[in-house]
Amino acid sequence: MRDKRLKKLFREQESGFEMDKWQERMPDIATAIWEKQIVHRPGKADIFWTQLCYIEKSYWMAQFLILTFTVTIFAVYNGGDNLWLNLKTLLALISCVAAFVGMGGILGLNRMFSYHMEELMSTFYFNIGQMASMRLAVYSAVDLLFLVAVIAGVTLGTRISVLIAAVYLLVPFLLSNLCYFTVFSLVKGKAKGAAFAASAVFSSIIGAAVSGIPVCYIYDEMMTIVTILFIAVLTLLAEIKYVLRSLRQEAV
Amino acid sequence: MEDRRLIKEIQQGHKELLNVVVEKYYKDIYGFCAYLSGNGEDAYDLAQETFLKFIRYVDNYQYRNLKGYLLTIARNVCMDYFRKEKNNAKNMTNIVDANPEEKDYLLTEGEAAFEQAEKRMWLRAQLQTLPAPQREAMVLYYYGELKIREIADIMSCSVPTAKSRIRQGTEKLRKRCKEAGYEG
C-alpha cells in the first residue's frame, strides 16, 4: 500500500515543470520524428503464419498419406472384429506409423538449408535462426495434432487407456526425432536423405518390436517408461537447441 | 487512443503518432528524470534524450507497458548521465545553489510557490542521499505509480528485492519527513 503523504509529496514535482523550457527541446524531437523511417518488423504470429503458408505441398501430402494409412488400419481393425488384425498387431502398426510422423518436418527443414537456400537467405538478411525456429514450431504443432488425433482414435477404438496409447506412439516418435536431429546435425551432403529414411525405418522397427513384447508397456513399468520418455523429450529439446544455435552460427 | 493501438499504428508507418506519445508522457518522464538526477534543469535534456531513444528504437518495441518502457529508457539515460557527469550525492545536497535559474524563479514567485518549490527541492535532495537502487525504486513506485512487479522488471531484480527497496526507502523518507515537518 502506497504511503499517501509520500505519494502527494512526489506528485508535487509536477509543479516544477516549465513548459517554455520543454518547448525549447521539442524541435529536436520533431526533427527526429520527421527523419524517422519506420521499418516493419513482423511479429511472431506473422512469422508463424508466413512459415505455415510456405510449407511445401509434399509435406502435406506425406502427412495426408500417413493419416490415410492410419485411418485404414483402424477401419480394417473394426473394433477388434477382424481376424487378421488383432490389438497387438494394430499397436505395432501404429508404432511403426508414429516413427514416420516427424519425417516430413525434418525433410522440410533440411530443404530450407539445401540448394544454397541458406546463402540466399543470408544475402537477404533473413533471420535464419528465427525462420527455422518458426518452421520447427509449425511442424511440431502439426505432428502433435496428428499424434493427439491418433491417440484419441486408439483410445476410442480399443479398450486401451490414453496413457498406454500415448506411450505406444510417443516411444517411436521421440526415438525417430532423436535420430532425425542427430542426422541433421552430423550428416552432410546427399547422404542425408538416405540417412533420414534409415532413421525412420530403424525407429519404426524398434517401435514395433518393443510394442510386440507384452511386458514392455504394462502398467507396473509405466513410471519407468514415463521417466525414459521425459528424458527423451529433454534430450530432443537439447538437440533442437543445438541445431538452432548451429543454424544461427551458419555451421550446418 | 489506447497505448497498444498507438504503438501498432506507429509500427505500421504512422510516425506522426510519435508526437502523441511524447505529448502524453513528457511530464511523467521529466518528473522521473528530475527525481533520479536531482537536477530539474538537466531533467529536460534527459527527458528529451529518452524520447529520442524511444523514436530510434520504436520499430523493435513489442508492446507490454508503454509507460514502463519509457521509464526504463529514462532510467538508462539517467545512468549514462551519472556516469558522464559523475553527479553523486555530495554535489546534489544543495540543489538551490546548483540551479541558479531555479533560485531566480523562486525569488520572483510568491510565497506559496516558494514553499512548494522548497519542498520539491528538499525531496530531491533527500532522494539523492538514498542508495541509487532505493531511490530508483521509490521514484518508480511513488512517482511512476508502477506496480512492484513492473518495477522489478525495469530494475532487473526480483519482486521481493524491489519490495524491500521500497520499504526501506519509505521508512527513511517517512522519518525524514517527520523531522522536517512535512507530514501532510
Side-chain angles (χ1 to χ4, degrees), chain A residues 162-210:
Chain A
V162 175
L163 187 64
I164 297 273
V167 166
Y168 271 97
L169 285 156
L170 285 177
V171 168
F173 176 75
L174 285 173
L175 179 67
S176 62
N177 274 292
L178 282 170
C179 294
Y180 294 149
F181 278 98
T182 309
V183 168
F184 187 77
S185 37
L186 295 180
V187 182
K188 307 275 175 196
K190 285 180 182 172
K192 245 181 185 175
F196 285 136
S199 303
V201 172
F202 167 73
S203 309
S204 64
I205 290 169
I206 297 285
V210 173

Side-chain angles (χ1 to χ4, degrees), chain B residues 122-155:
Chain B
W122 174 85
L123 180 61
R124 280 186 205 169
Q126 292 308 315
L127 279 171
Q128 295 308 311
T129 63
L130 293 180
Q134 270 178 32
R135 180 170 65 232
E136 280 170 42
M138 291 288 285
V139 177
L140 289 167
Y141 189 67
Y142 284 107
Y143 185 75
E145 292 186 5
L146 296 182
K147 290 174 188 154
I148 295 177
R149 186 179 41 78
E150 292 169 334
I151 297 171
D153 271 354
I154 291 174
M155 298 184 71

Side-chain angles (χ1 to χ4, degrees), chain A residues 112-130:
Chain A
M112 271 180 86
F113 296 94
S114 58
Y115 307 118
H116 303 289
M117 277 301 286
E118 195 184 349
E119 286 91 329
L120 191 66
M121 285 188 278
S122 301
T123 310
F124 285 99
Y125 300 103
F126 287 140
N127 187 339
I128 298 171
Q130 192 183 47

